[in-house]
Amino acid sequence: MKKIQLLPVLTTAALTTLALTGCSNIADQVQREKSLEFASVPILTEEWDQSADWLPADATRISVREAASGTGPAILAATTDAELDPAQCAETDRQSAPTYSADWAPDDVYVDRIFACGDWAVIETDSGWYGWTPNDPDEKAESPTP
């Protein structure tokens, strides 16, 4: 009889331990997403499997949320005071939306206008820029870069 009474206690203890030690990792595995952080653009360029060529060179505190496979849809936020390069990005009507969300993402991404930067749709934030890929083909067509 004591074994049956211990089962709920052991189950609760195991779940609590799991929740405290790796909740976000478990969520990433279940959702098939992962989060990454990079201190600067050179580190991002060296360590990230995808690219965000539109990102200003002085950007810092770069956060990424992407498919667990490291390919496909992604969102990215970066801190910078720099403007986007007009040779990389052009303003156009927003037709796409991010695939992922994150606690560091802006609250309102459903703005009327975005910057089309190749495969990325980018909007200005209070601290820099936020972008998502893929964007809509009509947005991409407005970008100065393929």
Side-chain angles (χ1 to χ4, degrees):
M1 190 66 148
K2 289 183 181 182
K3 288 182 183 179
I4 294 174
Q5 292 173 344
L6 283 178
L7 185 59
V9 172
L10 292 175
T11 302
T12 302
L15 290 174
T16 301
T17 302
L18 203 60
L20 292 175
T21 59
C23 188
S24 64
N25 190 26
I26 292 168
D28 287 353
Q29 290 176 7
V30 170
Q31 296 173 354
R32 301 189 190 282
E33 301 171 15
K34 65 181 177 182
S35 294
L36 307 166
E37 293 183 8
F38 304 95
S40 66
V41 172
I43 295 170
L44 171 88
T45 303
E46 183 179 317
E47 296 180 6
W48 194 36
D49 294 334
Q50 296 195 56
S51 66
D53 296 336
W54 56 270
L55 200 57
D58 72 338
T60 60
R61 296 177 46 204
I62 304 164
S63 297
V64 174
R65 182 96 178 144
E66 67 179 351
S69 65
T71 61
I75 58 173
L76 180 152
T79 300
T80 179
D81 290 328
E83 296 295 321
L84 294 175
D85 181 353
Q88 294 275 333
C89 304
E91 192 172 7
T92 188
D93 291 332
R94 182 190 61 81
Q95 299 177 44
S96 63
T99 302
Y100 301 120
S101 64
D103 59 355
W104 44 260
D107 291 331
D108 186 15
V109 297
Y110 298 103
V111 296
D112 293 332
R113 308 274 295 166
I114 57 98
F115 289 91
C117 307
D119 292 326
W120 289 85
V122 181
I123 61 173
E124 190 169 9
T125 66
D126 291 340
S127 61
W129 298 100
Y130 171 80
W132 61 87
T133 188
N135 58 9
D136 184 272
D138 290 337
E139 292 170 342
K140 184 176 180 175
E142 295 296 320
S143 174
T145 58

